[in-house]
Amino acid sequence: MKSLHKLVYSLLFISFFLVGCQENENTGADENGKTVITMWNRLSGLDVYLPEIITSFEEEYPDIKVELENLPVESQEQQYQAAVQENKLPDIFTTGGGYGVPQLVAADQIRPLDEVFTDEVKEKFVTGSFESGQTVMDDKVYAFPVFSPSHGAFMTYYNKDLLEELGIEPRVPDSWKEFMEIGEEVYEKSDGTKYGLLVGMQAGWLISDVTLQMAKAITPETERDWTTGEFNFATQGVIETAEFYKTMLDNNIMSIQSLELGAQDVYTQFANGQSAFMFAGNYVGAQLKDRGLENFGVAKLPTKNGEGVQYGEKATPEMITVSKYTENWDEVQLFINFLIDHMYDYIVESGTSAPALKLDHVGTTESNLAQFNDIAEIMNEVMVVAPNPTKVNPETIKVNQEHGEMAPKEGLDTIINGYLTGQVEDLEGTLQQLTDDNNKALKEAIEQSNGKVSMEDYIFKNWTPGQDYVEEDYSSR
């Protein structure tokens, strides 16, 4: 009997212990009684300086602990999906895994942040930071941007050390013809050991966006013709840009390794002096410095004749939001305000990108990256504000989501790579099919809205390609 009593007492003790642990977990407190905020980050650059910011925050607020997890690229999509399905997203996180603000709001996963982002605070951010369908839904702020909406501009990086070593003037010519001439010179003077250009063709987003930016200098209505609202990939601009790649590949100007490499591999090879030029995004400068290359320059992408307006459309691709199910909203607010006060300083200092906060509200304007101002200048020149259908009709947000689900999964990057490897013989016909499939998906998505959305919501007849579409333009579209 005594043995039985001991067993019962032991089981009761274990039960109380487990319940206590479970309650401690649910209340977000650690063994020292500190409130624990959980955070996910998927952005390169932020992973470097977030730990230092968190350390400073915890020193100022010793009763709060921030547990940071930097998500690996390979598994982040699965982690986001699983967390959404189980309502277990961390307290605060960078968006990712295919989940933007519209998707997260629709899935009932994030909470409004208007208590923090008042009109006065929003005024401190650059134009385009709080756009409907991006950081804003139903006039409520659900996320705040890390980088400027101009983040996502593509440019040419050139290795001054390599060019000087080969006796070539370190510069990027404006036209494709001159660009190829220098590329040929690099290959010849290096006895075939170096190339003019490396591009990470296996990074689909990179080759798609670089192609579209150069193509628009030839055909400004490439990708989306906002005067009709329709997609348009089968343009002379896209065709000639693809042929430009093919010519460089066939003449040993662009390394054939480009077809096999992703973005990070190309950054490393370029930093190691394997090519004179590289097409990459505005955020790569700091990564080159980390790889040991400091003597490099940046310039706009070359265009067919050195003329035309190359441009990309501003967006808010990288942002931070808060789980609807956080039990530590007061502590999270403190952390967000701390990020606003300190995170953008680190972005400028590191040269990661241009910050979303206006520079006159950033604690420092001095960057450790010598090329920071040149990169920022290209970003401001190349990126423009496009028409936003959600400002005309918020119901287009759902239509855009459904279009994304119905549109072809293999896009422009697949076609470009297929053309360069000989798998796509009818380039124009394949691009036209991509155009038709995207427009068909858009029309079907509109039909499914049951009259809430029409094609008229996507038409902006007063749109001028390559120029900002400002608030005043909506009244006369």
Side-chain angles (χ1 to χ4, degrees):
M1 183 64 70
K2 289 182 178 179
S3 299
L4 179 60
H5 286 167
K6 287 181 179 179
L7 177 60
V8 172
Y9 291 146
S10 297
L11 291 173
L12 285 172
F13 176 79
I14 292 170
S15 297
F16 287 133
F17 177 78
L18 291 175
V19 169
C21 290
Q22 182 65 41
E23 288 176 350
N24 195 49
E25 179 184 342
N26 289 340
T27 55
D30 67 5
E31 64 276 7
N32 297 316
K34 293 184 178 182
T35 300
V36 176
I37 298 173
T38 54
M39 181 177 189
W40 280 1
N41 169 57
R42 65 167 189 83
L43 303 180
S44 60
L46 275 188
D47 58 332
V48 176
Y49 40 80
L50 266 178
E52 190 172 337
I53 296 173
I54 289 171
T55 297
S56 299
F57 174 77
E58 291 175 343
E59 289 174 354
E60 187 165 330
Y61 298 96
D63 293 332
I64 305 174
K65 179 180 179 181
V66 181
E67 291 186 348
L68 172 67
E69 180 179 356
N70 291 307
L71 303 184
V73 175
E74 298 78 13
S75 61
Q76 63 178 242
E77 186 169 344
Q78 292 84 355
Q79 286 183 262
Y80 279 104
Q81 289 175 352
V84 168
Q85 290 171 3
E86 299 174 11
N87 294 336
K88 288 186 177 180
L89 284 164
D91 293 306
I92 184 169
F93 57 97
T94 55
T95 56
Y99 290 97
V101 164
Q103 292 81 7
L104 290 167
V105 170
D108 201 29
Q109 292 295 315
I110 55 177
R111 59 163 297 145
L113 306 179
D114 298 292
E115 291 175 59
V116 177
F117 292 94
T118 61
D119 290 341
E120 182 181 356
V121 173
K122 286 189 288 185
E123 279 296 317
K124 297 178 181 179
F125 286 76
V126 299
T127 303
S129 292
F130 297 98
E131 289 288 312
S132 177
Q134 295 177 11
T135 50
V136 175
M137 291 283 289
D138 299 324
D139 296 324
K140 297 177 182 178
V141 175
Y142 279 92
F144 65 100
V146 177
F147 304 122
S148 162
S150 296
H151 183 82
F154 288 84
M155 54 196 70
T156 306
Y157 290 78
Y158 57 102
N159 189 323
K160 294 182 178 180
D161 287 337
L162 176 59
L163 289 166
E164 289 170 355
E165 178 186 319
L166 297 174
I168 302 172
E169 180 187 354
R171 67 184 184 90
V172 177
D174 295 330
S175 71
W176 288 349
K177 181 176 181 293
E178 290 180 278
F179 186 88
M180 288 191 289
E181 288 173 352
I182 294 178
E184 288 177 336
E185 191 176 0
V186 169
Y187 187 76
E188 291 169 2
K189 288 190 172 182
S190 67
D191 295 324
T193 62
K194 314 291 182 184
Y195 287 85
L197 177 68
L198 271 168
V199 184
M201 289 286 182
Q202 288 301 308
W205 48 270
L206 189 154
I207 193 58
S208 293
D209 289 347
V210 168
T211 299
L212 291 170
Q213 190 171 308
M214 285 195 288
K216 288 173 182 176
I218 300 171
T219 312
E221 300 81 12
T222 292
E223 185 181 18
R224 197 73 178 262
D225 183 350
W226 288 110
T227 62
T228 64
E230 294 187 331
F231 292 92
N232 192 12
F233 296 99
T235 65
Q236 197 62 30
V238 173
I239 292 169
E240 292 192 29
T241 303
E243 292 172 344
F244 171 51
Y245 298 145
K246 187 72 164 61
T247 301
M248 289 194 290
L249 199 61
D250 291 345
N251 290 278
N252 293 316
I253 297 166
M254 180 167 68
S255 170
I256 196 167
Q257 280 190 295
S258 294
L259 300 177
E260 303 169 357
L261 298 176
Q264 294 294 329
D265 293 327
V266 167
Y267 304 161
T268 299
Q269 291 214 15
F270 176 76
N272 290 338
Q274 296 303 304
S275 73
F277 303 113
M278 174 182 69
F279 296 159
N282 59 267
Y283 40 82
V284 175
Q287 297 186 46
L288 294 178
K289 183 179 178 182
D290 290 342
R291 286 169 166 82
L293 178 63
E294 297 194 30
N295 192 23
F296 66 88
V298 292
K300 290 168 62 177
L301 295 173
T303 57
K304 181 182 177 181
N305 298 315
E307 301 172 350
V309 179
Q310 58 172 289
Y311 70 94
E313 295 184 355
K314 288 184 179 180
T316 313
E318 313 296 4
M319 61 190 83
I320 296 174
T321 188
V322 176
S323 170
K324 180 178 180 179
Y325 303 101
T326 179
E327 296 182 359
N328 305 304
W329 172 232
D330 290 342
E331 290 79 7
V332 170
Q333 283 189 79
L334 291 173
F335 186 50
I336 290 175
N337 281 311
F338 198 86
L339 288 175
I340 294 172
D341 290 340
H342 299 280
M343 178 176 68
Y344 301 102
D345 296 8
Y346 283 87
I347 290 173
V348 172
E349 286 175 3
S350 67
T352 304
S353 184
L357 199 69
K358 293 176 181 175
L359 286 178
D360 54 354
H361 293 289
V362 176
T364 179
T365 56
E366 294 295 323
S367 177
N368 295 326
L369 185 69
Q371 299 83 359
F372 178 79
N373 289 332
D374 293 335
I375 291 172
E377 184 178 339
I378 294 171
M379 291 171 65
N380 291 331
E381 185 176 348
V382 167
M383 302 301 284
V384 300
V385 178
N388 184 355
T390 66
K391 289 190 174 183
V392 176
N393 183 354
E395 293 291 334
T396 57
I397 293 173
K398 186 175 181 181
V399 168
N400 294 341
Q401 292 173 349
E402 292 180 353
H403 167 263
E405 294 171 2
M406 293 187 287
K409 297 301 180 262
E410 294 187 345
L412 181 60
D413 59 304
T414 303
I415 296 172
I416 296 293
N417 276 291
Y419 173 69
L420 295 179
T421 57
Q423 294 173 307
V424 172
E425 296 181 359
D426 181 7
L427 177 60
E428 184 174 1
T430 308
L431 290 169
Q432 187 60 54
Q433 189 64 54
L434 178 66
T435 298
D436 294 343
D437 289 346
N438 268 280
N439 286 324
K440 180 182 177 183
L442 177 61
K443 289 175 182 177
E444 289 178 355
I446 290 174
E447 289 173 3
Q448 291 179 14
S449 74
N450 296 321
K452 294 180 180 178
V453 176
S454 73
M455 197 63 201
E456 288 297 318
D457 296 326
Y458 291 89
I459 295 175
F460 301 83
K461 293 186 182 296
N462 60 346
W463 171 63
T464 302
Q467 294 185 15
D468 285 334
Y469 197 86
V470 297
E471 291 295 328
E472 293 76 15
D473 293 327
Y474 286 93
S475 60
S476 59
R477 69 184 188 89

